[in-house]
Amino acid sequence: MQFVAFERAKQGTGASRRLRNSGKAPGIVYGGAAEPQLIEIDHNALWHALKKEAFHSSVLDMEVNGQTSKVVLRDVQFHPYKQLVLHVDFQRVDDNTKVHLKVPLHFVGAEQSQAVKVENCTVTPLIHELDVICMPAQLPEFISVDLSGLTSKSALGLQALKLPNGVKAVVRGSNKNPALVSIKLPEVAPAEGAAPAAPAAPAKKGKK
């Protein structure tokens, strides 16, 4: 994805407020051999870009003064209740340095699985994005998780996930194989004609 930014000369709270009032969003680009660069971006264009999944998980082409450089989105600060971007951070990347980024997981095929189609299970994703590290050229926009082979007895963990070539998952914590989905069998209704449960005996009153 490509977006256009402009150099920003002034910084500070007052300058950023005036910038936002003019329909621009302040930002910064850092990393690499170059010094950090203050930028401004058209707010509406940025707002619509932030709604796209790929803008958060892809290497982006940023054009400033006619020159294009590769960056990744690192941080966005939103107003607590207004539809307003307060500040945005990007990090420069180069073709020879690995990037560490969160990539969304797309779960497909659950409706065709035995777990759902035959056993009427409820399948719920537990992890929606995955920390990965790889070279920029190998970074996927998303990782597809095929659930078509699930049964009620399946135990689908991270280690069973087939990652694209050159992509390595980064797992924190002691559990190196966290579950990707939860599989629940349907609740069994009581059979017809079954005797209802006996009511609980009333509690005995204590002596005065």
Side-chain angles (χ1 to χ4, degrees), residues 53-87:
E53 185 180 72
F55 196 76
H56 297 259
S57 59
S58 302
V59 175
L60 309 169
D61 293 320
M62 181 188 70
E63 182 184 332
V64 180
N65 295 335
Q67 295 186 339
T68 301
S69 57
K70 294 188 179 299
V71 300
V72 292
L73 178 65
R74 278 304 181 200
D75 187 49
V76 185
Q77 297 173 29
F78 293 99
H79 192 279
Y81 56 87
K82 295 181 182 178
Q83 291 189 348
L84 183 67
V85 177
L86 298 178
H87 197 274

Side-chain angles (χ1 to χ4, degrees), residues 28-37 62 69-72 74 89-94 97:
I28 190 171
V29 186
Y30 58 84
E35 292 292 321
Q37 182 181 23
M62 181 188 70
S69 57
K70 294 188 179 299
V71 300
V72 292
R74 278 304 181 200
D89 294 9
F90 295 96
Q91 181 183 353
R92 298 183 187 95
V93 299
D94 65 77
T97 304

